Amino acid sequence: MRDHRTEQVFPPLDREAELDRLAEQMRTASGTGMQLLNLVGTRAESLLDMLPDPVRAGLDKATAAALEQSFNAAAYSRGRVKDTSDWLTRAVTIGTGAAGGVGGFPSALAELPVTTTVILRAIQGIADEHGFDPAKPEVRAACLRVFAAAGPLDDDDGTDITFITMRLTLTGGTIQGLIAKIAPRLAIPLGQKLAAQAVPIVGAAAGAATNYIYTSYYQDMARVQFGLMRLAEQEGEALETLSHDLQRRLL
């Protein structure tokens, strides 16, 4: 997966210490959603019930459309827009979230592909940061795979890490198939995001907070995934083996 343009020299990693660090990063990521739930005054499982029936029925389709638009837009931006810091990326999505929260569900739906693109672009930067070339099909697949993580409002304490080892490839015309696999998993956290943004009264504030939390979460998940991939390269171990060892640390 390496390329001479992104080849970097990394200091050797201590296998056990790195797995401990990645496990802690997953725990940190999984704890961010409580801030949002406290703001909107509801439980995660109640958020999807707040969606209007037409929005809920079209959630998978809207998620797939957002992913496809984001995949193409983020890839196009590589080489044209420099990677930014985590905080700048979060600041951008805070702004788009606030705008999306002002007009309720219509504006939140319109904002969805924009924020997804910004987050995916940040994930590509994190892949590059770990020495993986985001222009390569298998790395682009790995970037999308991050969106198959449970979501910041999930209550599994970060123990579901199957997204790391999902078998996804980008050969020929398989981009639609790839997105079709991820969209149903992503539809649940994005549905929760839409509902939180449209909470009466808090509006723009909820939109800004929602996007900050979601951006932080997927940036953390990207660092876990690509950190694990880099460790697998160094150790010459299967990603599945390292993922299993990481999972044991989260139980």
Side-chain angles (χ1 to χ4, degrees), residues 19-164:
L19 286 172
D20 287 342
R21 187 188 70 80
L22 293 174
E24 185 57 33
Q25 187 153 36
M26 285 200 74
R27 291 190 189 96
T28 299
S30 298
T32 59
M34 291 306 299
Q35 304 166 39
L36 177 61
L37 296 178
N38 289 336
L39 174 66
V40 298
T42 188
R43 297 176 300 170
E45 56 268 27
S46 301
L47 283 170
L48 290 179
D49 294 335
M50 296 166 58
L51 293 174
D53 289 340
V55 174
R56 198 183 315 171
L59 200 51
D60 280 9
K61 184 176 180 181
T63 302
L67 278 176
E68 187 164 357
Q69 292 176 46
S70 301
F71 183 87
N72 294 329
Y76 178 80
S77 72
R78 293 293 303 177
R80 294 172 176 82
V81 180
K82 291 183 178 180
D83 293 333
T84 60
S85 68
D86 284 359
W87 281 105
L88 183 55
T89 299
R90 292 169 192 174
V92 171
T93 58
I94 284 171
T96 60
V102 168
F105 288 113
S107 61
L109 277 170
E111 172 262 333
L112 191 61
V114 178
T115 296
T116 307
T117 299
V118 176
I119 295 175
L120 182 54
R121 181 64 175 75
I123 292 170
Q124 291 178 339
I126 290 168
D128 200 4
E129 172 187 307
H130 285 78
F132 297 99
D133 183 0
K136 290 193 171 184
E138 62 268 33
V139 180
R140 294 175 77 192
C143 290
L144 275 177
R145 193 167 61 205
V146 174
F147 282 122
L153 304 187
D154 195 89
D155 61 359
D156 67 356
D157 296 323
T159 55
D160 180 10
I161 59 173
T162 55
F163 73 98
I164 292 175

Side-chain angles (χ1 to χ4, degrees), residues 3 48 54 74 110 118 148 156 158 204 243 245-246:
D3 183 89
L48 290 179
V118 176
D156 67 356
S243 297
D245 286 351
L246 178 59

